[in-house]
Amino acid sequence: MFLKSLSGRFLLLTIIFVMIAEILIFVPSIARFRFDYLTERLERSQIASLSVLAASNAMVDADLEDELLSNAGVLSIALRRDAIRELVLALPMPGVVAETFDLRDASAWALMRDALRTLFIQDHRVIRVIGEPVKGGGLQIEATLIETPLKQAMLDYGRTIFYLSLLISVFTAALLFLAVRWFIVRPISRVVSSMVAFQESPEDVRSIIVPDAGVSELRAAETALQDMQNRIAGSLKQKDRLAQLGGAVAKISHDLRNMLTTAQLFTDRIEMSTDPAVAKTAPKLVNSLNRAINLCEQTLTFGKAEEAAPNLTAFRLSEIVGDVVDSEVLRDTGGLSELVVEVPEDLEVAADPEQLFRVIINLARNARQAIENSGKAGQVKVSASQNSTETIITVADNGPGLPKKAQDNIFKPFQGGTRREGTGLGLAIAAELVRGHGGRLDLVKTGEAGTTFSIILPNTA
Ligand SMILES: Nc1ncnc2c1ncn2[C@@H]1O[C@H](COP(=O)(O)OP(=O)(O)OP(=O)(O)O)[C@@H](O)[C@H]1O
Ligand SMILES: [Mg+2]
């Protein structure tokens, strides 16, 4: 679990990386160690040989010879001066010389290779080393020695390096761990807990983060989060207010509609007034009241955030379209428009008859109103066709086409309306009702030649 956290990963990775780095420098340093070890043996051999040469006749007794050699840590010493090689000191050899190493001009690669070989060789070997401790003196020294103590010293050295590396990596990792916790993990945890707190209570201002990270990237994240939280909190507040306002509007519309309906009843009496001037105003009053009632009703319908789910039944489309014609004929006042129906008698649809009626009448009425407002005679045609998957009901007219504002805001509530007496809700409601059936309402074309809408309904049983 700990290793899955950011700081845990950093801790582990640092230890691994430092160890890798230490391994990379281990080989050169162990080669250096071996080189120094052998050079030191040669130097000691040189001192021993010099003391022999200083003695009279260059002869020493066996005890002194033993002591000199063991002090130098070698088995034998030979000097080579001006191409003449002379054995100065020697102990009995425990075996033959297995390998000779010339330190005078050994390359770094050769030194590293020989050091690794020394580490892995199992035999108890005798080796010869050649060197020139005093550079340019023309004096060259050869010494033979047993390799095992060298190997042991190298292993001890390697072990020390390993423990040291481990210590360094653990120490570095611990420091890094603390740094990561402080600079990265702590700010990230703050961001996360602010997100969680905000999710739980977005209206509580205390859950909005106050940026304080020192690392610029994390500070940018905190600032962005703060910005987002402020905006969400703002729009939630606004939504809340709008919802309250919507509720109030719905109540007002409801009561207003009732009052207007009552007022409508009195217009009949006004119509019967003996005063011709009063009787003449009656139709205008009726019209105004109708519009006001329509506005209230549409607002109320839209206020129900979602329309009731359609109650699907199979019925003949021509019946519903017939109802539309009947009610539109009643409303037709200008006599400019003609409503034509081209729906096959036996075509059946699976839909909510009441809702489909509202959709078609909205489209047909819009078309009629557009024609009437244009002042030219025109035709509205309702037709339908069916294939294996869907039913397409088309409402087409040859009126003036949709104004730009209506096109830009098509199907958007309150925004697309251009008629003074309209509310701009008809198309939005119609589109929502069709969507509720799993279908869609499309504006097929609009222009000077007229407008065509199509209702596409899936043929579900
Ligand atoms: N067939 C059409 N031809 C020309 N313009 C149309 C047609 N249908 C709709 N429009 C335009 O689109 C606008 C939006 O129509 P919509 O039915 O949504 O609202 P409305 O008719 O103004 O008001 P209401 O909510 O009373 O229906 C209309 O105001 C009208 O300008
Ligand atoms: Mg309309």
Side-chain angles (χ1 to χ4, degrees), residues 288-320:
S288 303
L289 285 174
N290 274 345
R291 267 184 253 137
I293 292 170
N294 184 31
L295 173 64
C296 290
E297 267 166 4
Q298 295 277 46
T299 312
L300 280 174
T301 323
F302 187 73
K304 290 178 205 150
E306 261 175 58
E307 290 286 346
N311 184 10
L312 299 185
T313 33
F315 57 89
R316 286 185 174 203
L317 181 63
S318 52
E319 285 172 19
I320 289 295

PDB file of all heavy atoms in Angstrom, residues 288-320:
ATOM      1  N   SER A 288     -57.407  39.485 -27.272  1.00  0.00           N
ATOM      2  CA  SER A 288     -56.357  39.774 -26.294  1.00  0.00           C
ATOM      3  C   SER A 288     -56.399  38.777 -25.154  1.00  0.00           C
ATOM      4  O   SER A 288     -55.361  38.273 -24.704  1.00  0.00           O
ATOM      5  CB  SER A 288     -56.516  41.181 -25.714  1.00  0.00           C
ATOM      6  OG  SER A 288     -56.494  42.097 -26.747  1.00  0.00           O
ATOM      7  N   LEU A 289     -57.614  38.481 -24.696  1.00  0.00           N
ATOM      8  CA  LEU A 289     -57.727  37.530 -23.591  1.00  0.00           C
ATOM      9  C   LEU A 289     -57.228  36.149 -24.009  1.00  0.00           C
ATOM     10  O   LEU A 289     -56.537  35.461 -23.261  1.00  0.00           O
ATOM     11  CB  LEU A 289     -59.185  37.453 -23.113  1.00  0.00           C
ATOM     12  CG  LEU A 289     -59.639  38.655 -22.289  1.00  0.00           C
ATOM     13  CD1 LEU A 289     -61.122  38.561 -21.997  1.00  0.00           C
ATOM     14  CD2 LEU A 289     -58.863  38.725 -20.973  1.00  0.00           C
ATOM     15  N   ASN A 290     -57.587  35.753 -25.253  1.00  0.00           N
ATOM     16  CA  ASN A 290     -57.137  34.448 -25.758  1.00  0.00           C
ATOM     17  C   ASN A 290     -55.619  34.350 -25.736  1.00  0.00           C
ATOM     18  O   ASN A 290     -55.047  33.339 -25.322  1.00  0.00           O
ATOM     19  CB  ASN A 290     -57.615  34.239 -27.194  1.00  0.00           C
ATOM     20  CG  ASN A 290     -59.019  33.659 -27.212  1.00  0.00           C
ATOM     21  OD1 ASN A 290     -59.487  33.172 -26.175  1.00  0.00           O
ATOM     22  ND2 ASN A 290     -59.691  33.733 -28.352  1.00  0.00           N
ATOM     23  N   ARG A 291     -55.006  35.421 -26.205  1.00  0.00           N
ATOM     24  CA  ARG A 291     -53.547  35.419 -26.255  1.00  0.00           C
ATOM     25  C   ARG A 291     -52.955  35.308 -24.854  1.00  0.00           C
ATOM     26  O   ARG A 291     -52.025  34.560 -24.609  1.00  0.00           O
ATOM     27  CB  ARG A 291     -53.048  36.706 -26.922  1.00  0.00           C
ATOM     28  CG  ARG A 291     -52.840  36.533 -28.394  1.00  0.00           C
ATOM     29  CD  ARG A 291     -52.259  37.791 -28.967  1.00  0.00           C
ATOM     30  NE  ARG A 291     -53.264  38.487 -29.734  1.00  0.00           N
ATOM     31  CZ  ARG A 291     -53.482  39.792 -29.720  1.00  0.00           C
ATOM     32  NH1 ARG A 291     -52.755  40.570 -28.954  1.00  0.00           N
ATOM     33  NH2 ARG A 291     -54.409  40.324 -30.455  1.00  0.00           N
ATOM     34  N   ALA A 292     -53.540  36.071 -23.956  1.00  0.00           N
ATOM     35  CA  ALA A 292     -53.014  36.052 -22.590  1.00  0.00           C
ATOM     36  C   ALA A 292     -53.179  34.664 -21.966  1.00  0.00           C
ATOM     37  O   ALA A 292     -52.274  34.141 -21.306  1.00  0.00           O
ATOM     38  CB  ALA A 292     -53.719  37.103 -21.747  1.00  0.00           C
ATOM     39  N   ILE A 293     -54.342  34.033 -22.218  1.00  0.00           N
ATOM     40  CA  ILE A 293     -54.568  32.690 -21.673  1.00  0.00           C
ATOM     41  C   ILE A 293     -53.580  31.700 -22.294  1.00  0.00           C
ATOM     42  O   ILE A 293     -52.994  30.863 -21.607  1.00  0.00           O
ATOM     43  CB  ILE A 293     -56.037  32.240 -21.928  1.00  0.00           C
ATOM     44  CG1 ILE A 293     -56.975  33.094 -21.078  1.00  0.00           C
ATOM     45  CG2 ILE A 293     -56.226  30.771 -21.595  1.00  0.00           C
ATOM     46  CD1 ILE A 293     -58.442  32.919 -21.410  1.00  0.00           C
ATOM     47  N   ASN A 294     -53.356  31.860 -23.608  1.00  0.00           N
ATOM     48  CA  ASN A 294     -52.405  30.994 -24.311  1.00  0.00           C
ATOM     49  C   ASN A 294     -51.007  31.114 -23.689  1.00  0.00           C
ATOM     50  O   ASN A 294     -50.343  30.123 -23.406  1.00  0.00           O
ATOM     51  CB  ASN A 294     -52.386  31.393 -25.793  1.00  0.00           C
ATOM     52  CG  ASN A 294     -51.491  30.475 -26.603  1.00  0.00           C
ATOM     53  OD1 ASN A 294     -51.366  29.298 -26.253  1.00  0.00           O
ATOM     54  ND2 ASN A 294     -50.872  31.002 -27.650  1.00  0.00           N
ATOM     55  N   LEU A 295     -50.608  32.354 -23.430  1.00  0.00           N
ATOM     56  CA  LEU A 295     -49.289  32.588 -22.830  1.00  0.00           C
ATOM     57  C   LEU A 295     -49.179  31.889 -21.470  1.00  0.00           C
ATOM     58  O   LEU A 295     -48.199  31.201 -21.183  1.00  0.00           O
ATOM     59  CB  LEU A 295     -49.052  34.096 -22.682  1.00  0.00           C
ATOM     60  CG  LEU A 295     -47.793  34.508 -21.934  1.00  0.00           C
ATOM     61  CD1 LEU A 295     -46.561  34.042 -22.692  1.00  0.00           C
ATOM     62  CD2 LEU A 295     -47.727  36.025 -21.771  1.00  0.00           C
ATOM     63  N   CYS A 296     -50.222  32.029 -20.676  1.00  0.00           N
ATOM     64  CA  CYS A 296     -50.202  31.384 -19.352  1.00  0.00           C
ATOM     65  C   CYS A 296     -50.100  29.874 -19.490  1.00  0.00           C
ATOM     66  O   CYS A 296     -49.341  29.209 -18.781  1.00  0.00           O
ATOM     67  CB  CYS A 296     -51.465  31.730 -18.571  1.00  0.00           C
ATOM     68  SG  CYS A 296     -51.517  33.427 -18.060  1.00  0.00           S
ATOM     69  N   GLU A 297     -50.898  29.332 -20.419  1.00  0.00           N
ATOM     70  CA  GLU A 297     -50.920  27.865 -20.566  1.00  0.00           C
ATOM     71  C   GLU A 297     -49.574  27.332 -21.044  1.00  0.00           C
ATOM     72  O   GLU A 297     -49.051  26.346 -20.513  1.00  0.00           O
ATOM     73  CB  GLU A 297     -52.023  27.455 -21.538  1.00  0.00           C
ATOM     74  CG  GLU A 297     -53.300  27.154 -20.785  1.00  0.00           C
ATOM     75  CD  GLU A 297     -54.511  27.068 -21.692  1.00  0.00           C
ATOM     76  OE1 GLU A 297     -54.325  27.171 -22.918  1.00  0.00           O
ATOM     77  OE2 GLU A 297     -55.607  26.905 -21.139  1.00  0.00           O
ATOM     78  N   GLN A 298     -49.007  28.025 -22.041  1.00  0.00           N
ATOM     79  CA  GLN A 298     -47.703  27.580 -22.573  1.00  0.00           C
ATOM     80  C   GLN A 298     -46.633  27.645 -21.479  1.00  0.00           C
ATOM     81  O   GLN A 298     -45.816  26.744 -21.340  1.00  0.00           O
ATOM     82  CB  GLN A 298     -47.269  28.471 -23.748  1.00  0.00           C
ATOM     83  CG  GLN A 298     -48.173  28.383 -24.952  1.00  0.00           C
ATOM     84  CD  GLN A 298     -47.831  27.194 -25.828  1.00  0.00           C
ATOM     85  OE1 GLN A 298     -47.636  26.107 -25.316  1.00  0.00           O
ATOM     86  NE2 GLN A 298     -47.765  27.403 -27.126  1.00  0.00           N
ATOM     87  N   THR A 299     -46.655  28.726 -20.707  1.00  0.00           N
ATOM     88  CA  THR A 299     -45.660  28.876 -19.652  1.00  0.00           C
ATOM     89  C   THR A 299     -45.801  27.752 -18.633  1.00  0.00           C
ATOM     90  O   THR A 299     -44.818  27.169 -18.181  1.00  0.00           O
ATOM     91  CB  THR A 299     -45.812  30.243 -18.959  1.00  0.00           C
ATOM     92  OG1 THR A 299     -45.904  31.231 -19.951  1.00  0.00           O
ATOM     93  CG2 THR A 299     -44.639  30.542 -18.062  1.00  0.00           C
ATOM     94  N   LEU A 300     -47.055  27.451 -18.315  1.00  0.00           N
ATOM     95  CA  LEU A 300     -47.290  26.376 -17.346  1.00  0.00           C
ATOM     96  C   LEU A 300     -46.787  25.036 -17.880  1.00  0.00           C
ATOM     97  O   LEU A 300     -46.141  24.262 -17.170  1.00  0.00           O
ATOM     98  CB  LEU A 300     -48.782  26.263 -17.015  1.00  0.00           C
ATOM     99  CG  LEU A 300     -49.304  27.295 -16.007  1.00  0.00           C
ATOM    100  CD1 LEU A 300     -50.803  27.169 -15.868  1.00  0.00           C
ATOM    101  CD2 LEU A 300     -48.637  27.085 -14.653  1.00  0.00           C
ATOM    102  N   THR A 301     -47.092  24.774 -19.179  1.00  0.00           N
ATOM    103  CA  THR A 301     -46.652  23.501 -19.782  1.00  0.00           C
ATOM    104  C   THR A 301     -45.138  23.404 -19.736  1.00  0.00           C
ATOM    105  O   THR A 301     -44.564  22.381 -19.395  1.00  0.00           O
ATOM    106  CB  THR A 301     -47.079  23.427 -21.270  1.00  0.00           C
ATOM    107  OG1 THR A 301     -48.340  24.019 -21.395  1.00  0.00           O
ATOM    108  CG2 THR A 301     -47.083  22.019 -21.763  1.00  0.00           C
ATOM    109  N   PHE A 302     -44.473  24.515 -20.081  1.00  0.00           N
ATOM    110  CA  PHE A 302     -43.010  24.474 -20.109  1.00  0.00           C
ATOM    111  C   PHE A 302     -42.433  24.350 -18.705  1.00  0.00           C
ATOM    112  O   PHE A 302     -41.406  23.740 -18.493  1.00  0.00           O
ATOM    113  CB  PHE A 302     -42.476  25.734 -20.789  1.00  0.00           C
ATOM    114  CG  PHE A 302     -41.008  25.668 -20.992  1.00  0.00           C
ATOM    115  CD1 PHE A 302     -40.491  24.832 -21.968  1.00  0.00           C
ATOM    116  CD2 PHE A 302     -40.139  26.376 -20.189  1.00  0.00           C
ATOM    117  CE1 PHE A 302     -39.131  24.728 -22.147  1.00  0.00           C
ATOM    118  CE2 PHE A 302     -38.776  26.281 -20.356  1.00  0.00           C
ATOM    119  CZ  PHE A 302     -38.273  25.453 -21.341  1.00  0.00           C
ATOM    120  N   GLY A 303     -43.149  24.957 -17.759  1.00  0.00           N
ATOM    121  CA  GLY A 303     -42.678  24.929 -16.368  1.00  0.00           C
ATOM    122  C   GLY A 303     -42.560  23.524 -15.824  1.00  0.00           C
ATOM    123  O   GLY A 303     -41.716  23.244 -14.979  1.00  0.00           O
ATOM    124  N   LYS A 304     -43.435  22.638 -16.284  1.00  0.00           N
ATOM    125  CA  LYS A 304     -43.269  21.240 -15.870  1.00  0.00           C
ATOM    126  C   LYS A 304     -42.011  20.780 -16.566  1.00  0.00           C
ATOM    127  O   LYS A 304     -42.027  20.468 -17.755  1.00  0.00           O
ATOM    128  CB  LYS A 304     -44.443  20.386 -16.356  1.00  0.00           C
ATOM    129  CG  LYS A 304     -45.723  20.691 -15.645  1.00  0.00           C
ATOM    130  CD  LYS A 304     -46.828  19.815 -16.249  1.00  0.00           C
ATOM    131  CE  LYS A 304     -48.167  20.467 -16.035  1.00  0.00           C
ATOM    132  NZ  LYS A 304     -49.118  20.153 -17.087  1.00  0.00           N
ATOM    133  N   ALA A 305     -40.916  20.760 -15.830  1.00  0.00           N
ATOM    134  CA  ALA A 305     -39.590  20.585 -16.426  1.00  0.00           C
ATOM    135  C   ALA A 305     -39.586  19.499 -17.490  1.00  0.00           C
ATOM    136  O   ALA A 305     -38.979  19.643 -18.534  1.00  0.00           O
ATOM    137  CB  ALA A 305     -38.581  20.283 -15.357  1.00  0.00           C
ATOM    138  N   GLU A 306     -40.293  18.423 -17.236  1.00  0.00           N
ATOM    139  CA  GLU A 306     -40.345  17.377 -18.258  1.00  0.00           C
ATOM    140  C   GLU A 306     -41.789  17.021 -18.542  1.00  0.00           C
ATOM    141  O   GLU A 306     -42.608  16.964 -17.629  1.00  0.00           O
ATOM    142  CB  GLU A 306     -39.612  16.147 -17.753  1.00  0.00           C
ATOM    143  CG  GLU A 306     -38.206  16.078 -18.303  1.00  0.00           C
ATOM    144  CD  GLU A 306     -37.462  14.921 -17.707  1.00  0.00           C
ATOM    145  OE1 GLU A 306     -37.952  13.790 -17.852  1.00  0.00           O
ATOM    146  OE2 GLU A 306     -36.426  15.175 -17.092  1.00  0.00           O
ATOM    147  N   GLU A 307     -42.052  16.783 -19.774  1.00  0.00           N
ATOM    148  CA  GLU A 307     -43.384  16.336 -20.137  1.00  0.00           C
ATOM    149  C   GLU A 307     -43.569  14.925 -19.595  1.00  0.00           C
ATOM    150  O   GLU A 307     -42.606  14.188 -19.433  1.00  0.00           O
ATOM    151  CB  GLU A 307     -43.514  16.307 -21.668  1.00  0.00           C
ATOM    152  CG  GLU A 307     -43.526  17.672 -22.314  1.00  0.00           C
ATOM    153  CD  GLU A 307     -44.849  18.407 -22.091  1.00  0.00           C
ATOM    154  OE1 GLU A 307     -45.824  17.762 -21.672  1.00  0.00           O
ATOM    155  OE2 GLU A 307     -44.892  19.623 -22.333  1.00  0.00           O
ATOM    156  N   ALA A 308     -44.834  14.572 -19.345  1.00  0.00           N
ATOM    157  CA  ALA A 308     -45.095  13.211 -18.880  1.00  0.00           C
ATOM    158  C   ALA A 308     -44.647  12.233 -19.962  1.00  0.00           C
ATOM    159  O   ALA A 308     -44.670  12.566 -21.148  1.00  0.00           O
ATOM    160  CB  ALA A 308     -46.580  13.053 -18.627  1.00  0.00           C
ATOM    161  N   ALA A 309     -44.220  11.039 -19.536  1.00  0.00           N
ATOM    162  CA  ALA A 309     -43.776  10.052 -20.518  1.00  0.00           C
ATOM    163  C   ALA A 309     -44.948   9.723 -21.438  1.00  0.00           C
ATOM    164  O   ALA A 309     -46.089   9.631 -20.982  1.00  0.00           O
ATOM    165  CB  ALA A 309     -43.315   8.797 -19.795  1.00  0.00           C
ATOM    166  N   PRO A 310     -44.677   9.605 -22.759  1.00  0.00           N
ATOM    167  CA  PRO A 310     -45.802   9.357 -23.674  1.00  0.00           C
ATOM    168  C   PRO A 310     -46.449   7.997 -23.409  1.00  0.00           C
ATOM    169  O   PRO A 310     -45.774   7.033 -23.083  1.00  0.00           O
ATOM    170  CB  PRO A 310     -45.140   9.393 -25.049  1.00  0.00           C
ATOM    171  CG  PRO A 310     -43.697   9.165 -24.809  1.00  0.00           C
ATOM    172  CD  PRO A 310     -43.400   9.681 -23.443  1.00  0.00           C
ATOM    173  N   ASN A 311     -47.761   8.005 -23.540  1.00  0.00           N
ATOM    174  CA  ASN A 311     -48.500   6.766 -23.361  1.00  0.00           C
ATOM    175  C   ASN A 311     -48.733   6.192 -24.761  1.00  0.00           C
ATOM    176  O   ASN A 311     -49.647   6.596 -25.475  1.00  0.00           O
ATOM    177  CB  ASN A 311     -49.813   7.124 -22.652  1.00  0.00           C
ATOM    178  CG  ASN A 311     -50.620   5.916 -22.332  1.00  0.00           C
ATOM    179  OD1 ASN A 311     -50.137   4.794 -22.473  1.00  0.00           O
ATOM    180  ND2 ASN A 311     -51.858   6.136 -21.922  1.00  0.00           N
ATOM    181  N   LEU A 312     -47.870   5.268 -25.167  1.00  0.00           N
ATOM    182  CA  LEU A 312     -47.878   4.823 -26.564  1.00  0.00           C
ATOM    183  C   LEU A 312     -49.064   3.905 -26.870  1.00  0.00           C
ATOM    184  O   LEU A 312     -49.281   2.924 -26.175  1.00  0.00           O
ATOM    185  CB  LEU A 312     -46.570   4.085 -26.900  1.00  0.00           C
ATOM    186  CG  LEU A 312     -45.276   4.885 -26.773  1.00  0.00           C
ATOM    187  CD1 LEU A 312     -44.102   4.056 -27.259  1.00  0.00           C
ATOM    188  CD2 LEU A 312     -45.357   6.185 -27.550  1.00  0.00           C
ATOM    189  N   THR A 313     -49.800   4.273 -27.922  1.00  0.00           N
ATOM    190  CA  THR A 313     -50.863   3.384 -28.409  1.00  0.00           C
ATOM    191  C   THR A 313     -50.834   3.428 -29.935  1.00  0.00           C
ATOM    192  O   THR A 313     -50.378   4.417 -30.504  1.00  0.00           O
ATOM    193  CB  THR A 313     -52.268   3.860 -27.958  1.00  0.00           C
ATOM    194  OG1 THR A 313     -52.261   5.276 -27.902  1.00  0.00           O
ATOM    195  CG2 THR A 313     -52.665   3.295 -26.616  1.00  0.00           C
ATOM    196  N   ALA A 314     -51.312   2.353 -30.528  1.00  0.00           N
ATOM    197  CA  ALA A 314     -51.335   2.333 -31.992  1.00  0.00           C
ATOM    198  C   ALA A 314     -52.675   2.924 -32.448  1.00  0.00           C
ATOM    199  O   ALA A 314     -53.722   2.543 -31.923  1.00  0.00           O
ATOM    200  CB  ALA A 314     -51.176   0.906 -32.484  1.00  0.00           C
ATOM    201  N   PHE A 315     -52.634   3.877 -33.353  1.00  0.00           N
ATOM    202  CA  PHE A 315     -53.892   4.467 -33.848  1.00  0.00           C
ATOM    203  C   PHE A 315     -53.674   4.960 -35.278  1.00  0.00           C
ATOM    204  O   PHE A 315     -52.531   5.064 -35.736  1.00  0.00           O
ATOM    205  CB  PHE A 315     -54.354   5.612 -32.932  1.00  0.00           C
ATOM    206  CG  PHE A 315     -53.326   6.689 -32.775  1.00  0.00           C
ATOM    207  CD1 PHE A 315     -53.274   7.765 -33.657  1.00  0.00           C
ATOM    208  CD2 PHE A 315     -52.378   6.614 -31.748  1.00  0.00           C
ATOM    209  CE1 PHE A 315     -52.311   8.739 -33.505  1.00  0.00           C
ATOM    210  CE2 PHE A 315     -51.419   7.589 -31.606  1.00  0.00           C
ATOM    211  CZ  PHE A 315     -51.379   8.659 -32.487  1.00  0.00           C
ATOM    212  N   ARG A 316     -54.772   5.305 -35.918  1.00  0.00           N
ATOM    213  CA  ARG A 316     -54.669   5.809 -37.298  1.00  0.00           C
ATOM    214  C   ARG A 316     -54.272   7.279 -37.261  1.00  0.00           C
ATOM    215  O   ARG A 316     -54.960   8.092 -36.607  1.00  0.00           O
ATOM    216  CB  ARG A 316     -56.015   5.679 -37.995  1.00  0.00           C
ATOM    217  CG  ARG A 316     -56.319   4.265 -38.356  1.00  0.00           C
ATOM    218  CD  ARG A 316     -57.578   4.216 -39.138  1.00  0.00           C
ATOM    219  NE  ARG A 316     -57.779   2.845 -39.591  1.00  0.00           N
ATOM    220  CZ  ARG A 316     -58.525   2.548 -40.631  1.00  0.00           C
ATOM    221  NH1 ARG A 316     -59.125   3.501 -41.305  1.00  0.00           N
ATOM    222  NH2 ARG A 316     -58.670   1.295 -40.989  1.00  0.00           N
ATOM    223  N   LEU A 317     -53.201   7.603 -37.941  1.00  0.00           N
ATOM    224  CA  LEU A 317     -52.693   8.974 -37.931  1.00  0.00           C
ATOM    225  C   LEU A 317     -53.724   9.945 -38.500  1.00  0.00           C
ATOM    226  O   LEU A 317     -53.867  11.069 -38.035  1.00  0.00           O
ATOM    227  CB  LEU A 317     -51.384   9.032 -38.736  1.00  0.00           C
ATOM    228  CG  LEU A 317     -50.713  10.388 -38.791  1.00  0.00           C
ATOM    229  CD1 LEU A 317     -50.285  10.831 -37.408  1.00  0.00           C
ATOM    230  CD2 LEU A 317     -49.496  10.349 -39.702  1.00  0.00           C
ATOM    231  N   SER A 318     -54.511   9.442 -39.503  1.00  0.00           N
ATOM    232  CA  SER A 318     -55.460  10.346 -40.166  1.00  0.00           C
ATOM    233  C   SER A 318     -56.483  10.907 -39.183  1.00  0.00           C
ATOM    234  O   SER A 318     -56.958  12.031 -39.356  1.00  0.00           O
ATOM    235  CB  SER A 318     -56.154   9.613 -41.314  1.00  0.00           C
ATOM    236  OG  SER A 318     -56.685   8.409 -40.848  1.00  0.00           O
ATOM    237  N   GLU A 319     -56.803  10.142 -38.138  1.00  0.00           N
ATOM    238  CA  GLU A 319     -57.793  10.630 -37.158  1.00  0.00           C
ATOM    239  C   GLU A 319     -57.268  11.877 -36.441  1.00  0.00           C
ATOM    240  O   GLU A 319     -57.965  12.879 -36.317  1.00  0.00           O
ATOM    241  CB  GLU A 319     -58.076   9.549 -36.110  1.00  0.00           C
ATOM    242  CG  GLU A 319     -58.939   8.426 -36.643  1.00  0.00           C
ATOM    243  CD  GLU A 319     -59.046   7.272 -35.651  1.00  0.00           C
ATOM    244  OE1 GLU A 319     -58.760   7.492 -34.454  1.00  0.00           O
ATOM    245  OE2 GLU A 319     -59.386   6.164 -36.091  1.00  0.00           O
ATOM    246  N   ILE A 320     -56.009  11.762 -35.988  1.00  0.00           N
ATOM    247  CA  ILE A 320     -55.408  12.888 -35.265  1.00  0.00           C
ATOM    248  C   ILE A 320     -55.263  14.101 -36.175  1.00  0.00           C
ATOM    249  O   ILE A 320     -55.595  15.224 -35.779  1.00  0.00           O
ATOM    250  CB  ILE A 320     -54.015  12.457 -34.718  1.00  0.00           C
ATOM    251  CG1 ILE A 320     -54.183  11.466 -33.579  1.00  0.00           C
ATOM    252  CG2 ILE A 320     -53.189  13.636 -34.261  1.00  0.00           C
ATOM    253  CD1 ILE A 320     -54.860  12.054 -32.366  1.00  0.00           C
TER     254      ILE A 320
END
